[in-house]
């Protein structure tokens, strides 16, 4: 029986995680290393925010290769109203002590800017919805990531009833 379950688990882990869902009842029988490999492959997370009585915001965080957030606005009948893009918000800034040339070099390392949006919970319960945006550049070495972090900034956007606007 153990051999059969190990074979099934091995086969399941070769299929893309999006294509399968391992039942909770089988997980205890899978070796610890295989369970950890399965859990590490979980690459998405969702947050549902109520913007007002008739409007909801769905944030889908896709975590591969770095976290990127897809933001969609729905009405109370779950009809898609619009998709929000945060790509037009500047999430880098040149420090005063950095030359323009060095800033441009670091900026050129960010080939595929992935924007992550997280709910800012520092406001009260009945406060407007505020998201904190950050830039997650993928495919950088450890050294490049350290250097690029010098120019990355976070920004907050607030729901104004129509869209998210810079604060």
């Amino acid at each position: 029986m153990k051999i059969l379950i190990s074979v099934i688990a091995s086969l399941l882990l070769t299929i893309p995680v999006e294509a399968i869902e391992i039942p909770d009842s089988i997980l205890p029988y899978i070796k610890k290393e295989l369970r950890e490999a399965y859990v590490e492959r979980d690459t998405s997370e969702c947050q549902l925010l109520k913007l007002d009585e008739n409007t909801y915001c769905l944030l889908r965080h896709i975590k591969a290769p770095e976290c990127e957030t897809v933001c969609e606005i729905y009405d109370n009948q779950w009809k898609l109203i619009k998709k929000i893009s945060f790509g037009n918000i500047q999430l880098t800034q040149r420090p005063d002590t950095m030359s323009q040339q060095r800033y441009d070099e670091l900026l050129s390392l960010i080939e595929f800017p992935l924007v992550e949006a997280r709910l800012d919970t520092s406001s009260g319960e009945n406060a407007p919805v505020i998201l904190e945006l950050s830039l997650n550049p993928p495919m950088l070495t450890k050294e490049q990531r350290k250097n690029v972090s010098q120019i990355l900034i976070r920004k907050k956007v607030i729901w104004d009833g129509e869209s998210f606007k810079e604060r």
Side-chain angles (χ1 to χ4, degrees):
M1 180 71 170
K2 286 184 181 181
I3 295 173
L4 177 62
I5 291 176
S6 292
V7 169
I8 291 171
S10 297
L11 290 172
L12 290 174
L13 290 172
T14 61
I15 300 171
V17 74
E18 297 82 18
I20 57 138
E21 180 132 347
I22 296 177
D24 292 338
S25 60
I26 292 179
L27 282 176
Y29 300 104
I30 298 174
K31 289 182 181 177
K32 182 180 178 187
E33 299 82 23
L34 294 175
R35 280 196 315 262
E36 288 171 353
Y38 176 75
V39 170
E40 287 173 9
R41 294 174 68 185
D42 187 14
T43 59
S44 65
E45 171 188 319
C46 290
Q47 279 183 297
L48 183 63
L49 313 171
K50 187 173 185 175
L51 300 174
D52 59 43
E53 291 301 317
N54 299 313
T55 314
Y56 295 89
C57 175
L58 179 66
L59 297 175
R60 286 187 296 130
H61 307 287
I62 303 158
K63 301 178 184 177
E66 292 290 332
C67 189
E68 178 178 32
T69 302
V70 175
C71 179
E72 298 170 331
I73 309 297
Y74 292 88
D75 66 12
N76 58 3
Q77 301 297 314
W78 292 106
K79 180 183 172 201
L80 179 65
I81 297 172
K82 67 172 121 177
K83 291 185 179 189
I84 306 277
S85 172
F86 300 115
N88 59 340
I89 296 176
Q90 183 70 30
L91 295 170
T92 61
Q93 185 174 14
R94 183 178 64 86
D96 294 340
T97 57
M98 183 181 287
S99 71
Q100 184 65 43
Q101 180 182 359
R102 178 66 176 151
Y103 176 71
D104 291 340
E105 287 172 15
L106 294 175
L107 209 52
S108 71
L109 294 175
I110 305 172
E111 293 183 52
F112 307 102
L114 303 178
V115 178
E116 178 180 4
R118 292 285 175 182
L119 179 63
D120 179 12
T121 56
S122 63
S123 305
E125 188 176 309
N126 294 323
V129 176
I130 299 173
L131 300 178
E132 184 175 66
L133 306 179
S134 59
L135 192 63
N136 294 327
M139 299 181 285
L140 298 178
T141 66
K142 209 175 211 182
E143 184 67 26
Q144 289 172 328
R145 187 173 307 283
K146 179 182 170 190
N147 290 332
V148 166
S149 71
Q150 299 172 39
I151 64 170
L152 300 180
I153 60 172
R154 295 176 180 268
K155 283 201 178 164
K156 292 185 179 185
V157 292
I158 187 168
W159 179 253
D160 71 355
E162 295 292 321
S163 190
F164 285 99
K165 304 287 184 197
E166 283 189 61
R167 204 170 164 189

